[in-house]
Amino acid sequence: MDTAHIEGLIGMLTVLAILVLLVLPSVLGIARDRRADRQIREADRARRAEGTGPGPREARPRYFTTTVTHHS
């Protein structure tokens, strides 16, 4: 390997390292979200098995829409 090849290799490794540093926080966030979702599902299943948790219909949030009108 001559100097040009080594410089090219160093450049590629630098770009790869920067890419990893940019992508790593997103990957860690996705993994954390999945773990939290799994824990919530497991806790919900355990509550339903005990009969203490809300049913599937009661667990859904209810949203209300309102319209604001201005009368002159």
Side-chain angles (χ1 to χ4, degrees):
M1 276 181 129
D2 60 351
T3 305
H5 286 109
I6 292 173
E7 287 178 0
L9 180 62
I10 290 171
M12 285 192 315
L13 291 175
T14 302
V15 170
L16 182 63
I18 292 171
L19 179 65
V20 167
L21 287 175
L22 290 174
V23 172
L24 187 63
S26 296
V27 171
L28 293 176
I30 290 169
R32 178 183 292 174
D33 286 347
R34 287 184 177 217
R35 186 179 64 219
D37 289 343
R38 185 179 64 245
Q39 290 173 346
I40 290 170
R41 280 193 308 270
E42 289 173 359
D44 191 40
R45 282 189 202 119
R47 272 189 253 126
R48 287 184 186 178
E50 294 174 359
T52 59
R57 206 140 162 81
E58 299 168 5
R60 281 186 258 156
R62 295 180 183 169
Y63 297 100
F64 298 96
T65 58
T66 60
T67 304
V68 178
T69 57
H70 179 66
H71 296 285
S72 300

